[in-house]
Amino acid sequence: MARLREAYTTFSERREALGLSNPGTVENIAKEVQRDVFLNNLSFSGLRADLTKAFSVAPLFQVSHALAMGSQSQPPYTYAALYGSPKVFLQANVDNELSFSGRFNYRWTPSFVTKTSVQLASMGSMVSLENDYTGSDFSASLKAINPSILDGGITGMVMASYLQSVTPKLSLGLEALWNRVAMTHSPELVVSYAARYKGTDWIASGQLLAQGGIEASYWRRLSEKVETGINLNLAFAAMGPGGPMAGIKKEGTVTIGAKYDFRASSFRAQIDNNGKVACLLEKRVAPPIQVTFAGEIDHKQNQAKLGLAVSIDAADPEVMEQQERVGADAPPIPF
């Protein structure tokens, strides 16, 4: 036992001497492109108005009302409440059709966080349980979606991922997915592999998907206010009755985008090889008011979408003074 302890101590010291940093998670391996530059998760259509009222900053507590019109993806009205502290994060949303979604995250230690989410709607329900561990030079995650043992066995979806820094710039990882729809179906297990390389002002990442596909991203900062990104998604699947190699169907999408940050606004634009062009402009008109404009043209489908949103953040003077006192030194909330 003493020799094992000594070997582990020596290994840990050599690992620390390499100066490795945490590489993030496999899920967010391309977040600089997918979330920071591209507007896939930000685009919308129709008219929208958001009113947020903050009652406290430390701990964070706020409520919001969202009104939408002319949108197929957003309900006409949504009420949301949010609470956050260094250990606990709570969020709940309910819309005009009484569809409910909630999140509860708890930080056990500075490195270990448990995340749960629930969605209750007429179309179906979903429960998600996730445990994330953030080490000094690695990240590990275990997530279960709709787990159940009521059918005489384990059903649902289980995902496990691990991303390790190999050098100060290179990270390697893998993700395993186990899925069983019902006890009458046999379980399925697939494994994907991921790699991430971080340069001085650029980041490249790639994933080899076991379902049959390759996804690669490249992000680069051109200047202090300009970021660009490109993403390649190539999906291939065996087709035909003659076996796995009877025929291979390939589908690929290439998307290029850029983000410009100005003093009180930001502009995003992207275009892909299918002829879809989109842009998003966020403008801070006044400290509590932000206006967002979204536009999209799909030349292949001959469709166009426009969206306009107004967001108002209301807070009492006492809350604003509290925010200035807290500053950026406050412990992070386990979102």
Side-chain angles (χ1 to χ4, degrees):
M1 184 63 68
R3 290 184 177 179
L4 291 176
R5 190 181 299 110
E6 182 180 354
Y8 179 76
T9 302
T10 304
F11 176 74
S12 299
E13 291 176 353
R14 291 182 178 178
R15 220 160 108 185
E16 293 178 0
L18 294 176
L20 303 179
S21 59
N22 183 270
T25 62
V26 175
E27 182 181 4
N28 297 324
I29 195 170
K31 69 179 183 66
E32 289 81 7
V33 176
Q34 299 288 350
R35 298 189 179 185
D36 296 345
V37 176
F38 289 176
L39 49 107
N40 300 335
N41 299 325
L42 302 174
S43 183
F44 64 97
S45 61
L47 302 177
R48 194 180 71 195
D50 300 323
L51 175 61
T52 303
K53 172 69 173 179
F55 295 93
S56 175
V57 175
L60 177 64
F61 177 60
Q62 65 184 34
V63 298
S64 63
H65 305 267
L67 302 172
M69 183 174 61
S71 174
Q72 297 180 352
S73 59
Q74 296 178 339
Y77 173 75
T78 303
Y79 175 80
L82 184 149
Y83 174 85
S85 69
K87 280 188 170 293
V88 176
F89 173 74
L90 287 167
Q91 184 182 23
N93 302 334
V94 60
D95 60 23
N96 57 291
E97 296 181 354
L98 299 182
S99 296
F100 173 82
S101 64
R103 295 170 58 195
F104 172 69
N105 301 347
Y106 187 81
R107 187 188 303 276
W108 302 94
T109 67
S111 301
F112 184 56
V113 178
T114 298
K115 302 178 181 179
T116 61
S117 64
V118 179
Q119 293 183 5
L120 303 176
S122 58
M123 301 296 294
S125 303
M126 188 192 76
V127 177
S128 173
L129 306 174
E130 183 176 2
N131 292 289
D132 293 340
Y133 188 87
T134 305
S136 58
D137 58 358
F138 73 94
S139 295
S141 176
L142 179 63
K143 184 177 182 179
I145 299 177
N146 288 342
S148 176
I149 57 174
L150 300 179
D151 297 334
I154 300 176
T155 59
M157 183 183 298
V158 179
M159 292 177 288
S161 63
Y162 182 86
L163 188 62
Q164 171 73 56
S165 292
V166 181
T167 69
K169 295 183 178 182
L170 178 64
S171 304
L172 300 176
L174 57 85
E175 182 179 49
L177 187 149
W178 182 91
N179 183 30
R180 190 168 194 172
V181 180
M183 292 301 298
T184 56
H185 295 69
S186 58
E188 298 178 356
L189 177 64
V190 294
V191 180
S192 304
Y193 304 92
R196 174 184 169 97
Y197 190 90
K198 184 176 182 180
T200 305
D201 56 358
W202 60 274
I203 298 175
S205 62
Q207 289 183 273
L208 177 60
L209 307 178
Q211 299 90 336
I214 298 174
E215 185 169 6
S217 298
Y218 178 80
W219 172 88
R220 187 177 185 89
R221 182 178 293 279
L222 299 181
S223 67
E224 184 180 353
K225 298 182 178 181
V226 182
E227 305 173 38
T228 60
I230 180 172
N231 185 83
L232 167 66
N233 193 317
L234 177 62
F236 51 89
M239 305 293 291
M245 301 304 295
I248 296 180
K249 180 181 179 181
K250 298 181 180 180
E251 295 180 355
T253 303
V254 179
T255 307
I256 302 175
K259 178 184 177 184
Y260 297 81
D261 289 320
F262 302 98
R263 184 179 61 85
S265 62
S266 66
F267 177 75
R268 292 179 174 90
Q270 70 181 47
I271 182 173
D272 62 22
N273 62 312
N274 294 320
K276 184 182 294 185
V277 183
C279 66
L280 183 81
L281 174 64
E282 297 174 317
K283 172 69 174 179
R284 180 67 64 176
V285 180
I289 303 175
Q290 176 175 292
V291 177
T292 304
F293 171 80
E296 179 182 296
I297 300 177
D298 192 336
H299 292 89
K300 187 176 181 179
Q301 301 293 334
N302 196 21
Q303 295 178 351
K305 298 179 181 179
L306 292 176
L308 178 64
V310 178
S311 302
I312 302 176
D313 298 327
D316 297 330
E318 295 81 3
V319 176
M320 299 180 66
E321 293 177 0
Q322 184 185 19
Q323 184 176 7
E324 294 177 357
R325 292 195 303 267
V326 172
D329 298 331
I333 297 174
F335 288 107

